[in-house]
Amino acid sequence: QVQLVESGGGLVQPGGSLRLSCAASNIIVNILNMGWYRQAPGEERELVAMITGGGSTNYADSVKGRFTISRDKVNKTVYLQMNSLMPEDTAVYYCNMHGAARQSWGQGTQVTVSS
């Protein structure tokens, strides 16, 4: 089990920005496909951004052009830069391995976009 700790969420106004961090305990995350997921109240958890072990990225259509996923291998951290935030981005955001290596869900970090 890789320890993953999400942080960086908070309350932000529409149009604002946040950077979420996913700090890992094991360097193995540097070669795994990693994803940021979110779950809004009453909705299913969805994958919003993914970065492969090789550095390729993919995004959900709803966040494309606004969110950027990146990786810092030295610090074993995956980031999600969120710009132009909208109320519909409000959710609990989770970091996890993407695919077969996915483990149990952690605490997540709350993002609330509201005036």
Side-chain angles (χ1 to χ4, degrees):
Q1 183 93 352
V2 179
Q3 295 177 24
L4 299 171
V5 180
E6 302 97 337
S7 63
L11 175 64
V12 65
Q13 294 185 343
S17 298
L18 286 172
R19 188 179 74 159
L20 307 184
S21 298
C22 174
S25 64
N26 196 315
I27 197 171
I28 196 171
V29 301
N30 288 347
I31 61 171
L32 295 175
N33 297 348
M34 302 295 296
W36 278 100
Y37 304 75
R38 70 185 181 189
Q39 187 169 27
E43 300 183 14
E44 295 295 316
R45 200 190 316 266
E46 64 171 337
L47 177 69
V48 298
M50 189 269 287
I51 185 166
T52 70
S56 299
T57 59
N58 283 287
Y59 301 92
D61 288 342
S62 59
V63 308
K64 196 170 298 181
R66 300 188 297 120
F67 291 10
T68 303
I69 188 171
S70 62
R71 169 186 272 127
D72 180 345
K73 292 185 177 181
V74 172
N75 291 301
K76 306 185 294 292
T77 302
V78 180
Y79 300 99
L80 184 67
Q81 178 67 46
M82 306 186 296
N83 299 325
S84 301
L85 284 163
M86 306 174 182
E88 50 263 47
D89 295 318
T90 295
V92 178
Y93 284 72
Y94 302 87
C95 180
N96 211 331
M97 283 70 73
H98 178 67
R102 196 181 74 189
Q103 59 186 21
S104 58
W105 300 101
Q107 176 180 332
T109 184
Q110 174 71 232
V111 172
T112 303
V113 184
S114 179
S115 298

